[in-house]
Amino acid sequence: MSAVRAGESAVTVLYKEIARPALFRYCDPEYAHGVVGPLLRKPFPSRVMSSYLDYGKDRLSIELRGKVRIPGPIGLAAGFDKDAEMLKGLAHIFDYLTVGTFLPFPWPGNPERKDGNPRTGRIVRLEDEESMLNCLGFPFGGPGKAIANVAAYTGRVPISVSVAIRPPADGESMDRVIGRFEALVSSVADLKVSMIEPNFASPNTKGLAVFFEPELFNTLAQIVTQHRGLADSVKLLKMPPHTEHETRRRNLNVAEAWIEHGGDGITAINTLPTEDRRLSVGKGGKSGRAIYELMLSNIDDYRNHLGPDPVINACGGIWPENVPDVLLRHKADTVQVLTSFIYEGPGSVRDAKKALIKALDDRGYIDMDSFRRNAFGSAMR
């Protein structure tokens, strides 16, 4: 696990020297999340530091597809605030927040232990790799409360909602599954959210691959992209990683079909499917530094295939010092973080912004808009 690095903010140093060692030593990952959650359900702790964390907003603000202007390119990935309960606190840390994943109904996720074995769990820390494994399986308290939480939000940064669908249960028709998903999308559309992120690619839910089959995918894509209530929302499809030629070709074709249906871009990549007997179901997804190079390779593939116009939201092993490279060299539009937030703490977002502004200065750009005009031909993409 990383030591304190030169140039890190005081908040990051305190977190890594005091808070993280205590959380990692005395709390299993899910319990630790429960400890931190109450602090983020209230605005006060984060608001106290908001001016400190709100670094460089005049230079880092960007516009996505002419629909949404966000105060900066660094967002929170889906999976941290599954039921949209921590918006008040998180809004003072990130430039945008992805909540969920929302399902059409409450769901407990995968079993917390395998056959009651305390040595297994749904999240495993890989501290030597600064990575994590998870097999959570979309635990969700239900759309009623989660949607009400988003509806009540009046915060300072845009909200993106991750939405998903589960394969049919025994005796359930695919038409019913699709109908439930359509109802969920309509409920989210009524919120007038800034962004929506369908996720048909999680490795933690058995059977999701069926939703990437062309006919079924086209139906689901049209439900999202053609919904009138989402006309002004940026629509980003969550993409799985590809490591082989066949999955690469499939993923590029799916992404291209999404754009043709009216999608605005993609989020890449989801966690890397991994088997590990410490996980309660024996397999799950890997996130963190271990998948960073794979993520870069994948987003380069998507940019080369899709061209300059679609939004590419990079997600996968991004640490503060990586942000300039991902945005300026590999030409992602935005980044999402989650695992690095757990390892580095809230100050890491400021550290990332500081690194990005230095990189802009070194390249002679006034702000992100001027870089995007040079790189893509327009700041409003």
Side-chain angles (χ1 to χ4, degrees):
M1 192 157 54
S2 68
V4 173
R5 292 182 291 270
E8 289 182 329
S9 66
V11 173
T12 301
V13 172
L14 287 172
Y15 176 83
K16 291 170 71 171
E17 291 289 314
I18 299 173
R20 186 181 73 185
L23 287 170
F24 279 29
R25 180 174 182 180
Y26 297 110
C27 304
D28 73 30
E30 289 202 60
Y31 186 79
H33 189 269
V35 170
V36 172
L39 296 175
L40 294 170
R41 291 188 180 98
K42 305 293 183 182
F44 177 74
S46 300
R47 184 183 292 167
V48 169
M49 298 190 300
S50 63
S51 60
Y52 174 79
L53 296 171
D54 200 14
Y55 186 87
K57 64 179 180 179
D58 295 334
R59 300 184 62 184
L60 300 182
S61 172
I62 59 173
E63 188 159 344
L64 301 176
R65 303 289 288 176
K67 297 179 178 181
V68 176
R69 178 161 285 275
I70 58 178
I74 304 171
L76 177 67
F80 189 87
D81 191 7
K82 293 181 179 297
D83 295 293
E85 296 175 320
M86 309 177 202
L87 299 176
K88 291 180 180 179
L90 292 169
H92 292 278
I93 300 173
F94 292 94
D95 295 321
Y96 68 94
L97 305 173
T98 308
V99 297
T101 296
F102 289 10
L103 296 173
F105 44 78
W107 187 253
N110 288 322
E112 294 186 12
R113 306 290 180 197
K114 183 178 182 179
D115 301 325
N117 183 351
R119 295 180 181 273
T120 63
R122 299 193 295 185
I123 305 176
V124 175
R125 300 186 187 105
L126 305 175
E127 296 184 33
D128 290 343
E129 300 180 35
E130 291 185 287
S131 299
M132 302 184 79
L133 300 171
N134 94 82
C135 65
L136 287 163
F138 292 149
F140 182 51
K145 183 178 179 182
I147 287 172
N149 289 340
V150 177
Y153 171 74
T154 57
R156 57 199 288 277
V157 300
I159 297 294
S160 175
V161 177
S162 170
V163 295
I165 187 172
R166 288 187 56 82
D170 291 343
E172 187 178 26
S173 70
M174 186 60 78
D175 286 344
R176 177 170 170 77
V177 169
I178 293 171
R180 284 182 162 187
F181 180 70
E182 189 168 13
L184 173 65
V185 170
S186 292
S187 295
V188 172
D190 289 343
L191 297 170
K192 304 298 181 185
V193 294
S194 298
M195 293 175 270
I196 186 168
E197 185 181 273
N199 181 0
F200 311 131
S202 171
N204 305 324
T205 299
K206 184 178 179 180
L208 278 188
V210 67
F211 298 119
F212 268 12
E213 293 180 1
E215 184 175 352
L216 190 50
F217 174 77
N218 290 339
T219 298
L220 298 174
Q222 289 173 6
I223 287 172
V224 179
T225 60
Q226 304 304 312
H227 198 293
R228 292 183 180 180
L230 295 171
D232 296 326
S233 301
V234 175
K235 296 169 276 290
L236 303 176
L237 179 67
K238 189 77 170 276
M239 297 299 303
H242 51 262
T243 58
E244 300 174 352
H245 176 71
E246 286 302 314
T247 54
R248 176 181 180 273
R249 183 171 62 180
R250 181 206 66 178
N251 288 355
L252 294 178
N253 288 340
V254 167
E256 184 176 4
W258 174 253
I259 301 302
E260 290 175 351
H261 280 297
D264 295 295
I266 60 165
T267 295
I269 54 178
N270 215 318
T271 55
L272 180 67
T274 305
E275 294 186 1
D276 194 294
R277 62 186 181 183
R278 291 171 293 180
L279 292 170
S280 65
V281 295
K283 58 184 178 180
K286 179 180 283 190
S287 63
R289 281 197 191 270
I291 69 168
Y292 176 69
E293 293 297 332
L294 176 62
M295 179 276 299
L296 290 181
S297 172
N298 279 203
I299 66 169
D300 286 346
D301 284 343
Y302 287 118
R303 181 59 78 202
N304 291 335
H305 186 77
L306 298 175
D309 292 333
V311 173
I312 292 182
N313 181 31
C315 180
I318 301 170
W319 253 245
E321 67 270 21
N322 304 138
V323 168
D325 199 43
V326 176
L327 295 175
L328 306 185
R329 181 183 174 193
H330 294 272
K331 295 184 173 59
D333 295 275
T334 51
V335 301
Q336 285 183 352
V337 300
L338 197 163
T339 304
S340 66
F341 180 55
I342 292 170
Y343 274 92
E344 302 284 300
S348 62
V349 179
R350 184 184 191 275
D351 295 339
K353 292 180 179 182
K354 188 174 181 181
L356 180 55
I357 285 178
K358 182 179 185 304
L360 288 170
D361 289 340
D362 291 345
R363 289 163 171 80
Y365 294 110
I366 298 172
D367 51 26
M368 282 299 294
D369 279 347
S370 62
F371 165 76
R372 286 156 65 81
R373 277 191 292 269
N374 182 71
F376 301 113
S378 172
M380 295 188 297
R381 302 179 49 247

